[in-house]
Amino acid sequence: MTSQASHQIGDRNVQIQNANIHYLEAGNAESPSILFLHGASFSAKTWEELGSLVWFAQQGYHAVSMDLPGYGKSQKTAAQPAEFLLAFLEATGLSQPVIVSPSMSGKYSLPFIVQYPQQCRGWVAVAPVGINKFKQQLANVNLPVLAIWGSSDRIVPAKQADVLKQTMPNVRKVILEKAGHACYMRATDEFHNHLLQFCQDYS
């Protein structure tokens, strides 16, 4: 059983290529990890405000949300997106997390899972940008994938989830009804439950 202290949120910083990168974490660092990225209008704090970090810590996970370079409290870095994520995992000691990637953060997670699929346990595609750009390379990525979209997404249409399902060998598709692009904002509990089931299946 995790202690109550592990459900408190830690405010952390790490240096990557001389840039200060900010992140939040909750849960036991020895537990399976979930790394929450964010979209252009959001930050690491979004996942704290939604209750995601504490809720997943209570379920026995090490939940981490980061401010991507140039967002929130993180400085910009010249690192390439895939190399940046790899450096972040190494600097924080995160071993094979499930990576939750909404919207803009697809610019980071997509090249990462193509180049370093062995460095994560699963990929949660929350209407990420850039799928078509990496479509050919994704066919070779055998990671477990949860493709989760809002039915009312007008920015990255839900048909992009079908592209993932047709392209990658191990994709579970979920559509959250009456939710928009940031589907986790409108249907938070449902989003959490689907993510938890996915993490439990692949822990």
Side-chain angles (χ1 to χ4, degrees), residues 175-195:
I175 301 296
L176 302 181
E177 295 301 325
K178 298 180 181 176
H181 183 54
C183 59
Y184 46 88
M185 302 292 287
R186 176 71 180 265
T188 305
D189 289 346
E190 197 176 351
F191 177 85
H192 282 169
N193 287 329
H194 282 293
L195 176 54

Side-chain angles (χ1 to χ4, degrees), residues 4 6 20 44 56 92 120 123-124 151 159 169 172 188 194 197:
Q4 189 62 39
S6 69
N20 188 63
F56 277 96
T92 55
C120 54
W123 182 51
V124 181
S151 64
K159 64 183 180 181
R172 179 183 304 177
T188 305
H194 282 293
Q197 186 62 60

Side-chain angles (χ1 to χ4, degrees), residues 3-45:
S3 69
Q4 189 62 39
S6 69
H7 298 158
Q8 295 175 355
I9 294 175
D11 194 295
R12 316 276 188 241
N13 292 281
V14 68
Q15 293 287 315
I16 296 177
Q17 288 199 352
N18 298 319
N20 188 63
I21 303 299
H22 173 255
Y23 66 101
L24 302 170
E25 67 176 342
N28 188 329
E30 301 302 314
S31 299
S33 295
I34 305 171
L35 175 60
F36 292 89
L37 307 182
H38 62 82
S41 300
F42 303 99
S43 69
K45 195 163 180 62

Side-chain angles (χ1 to χ4, degrees), residues 63 73 96 100 127 134:
K73 298 178 182 178
Q96 293 192 306
V100 179
F134 290 93

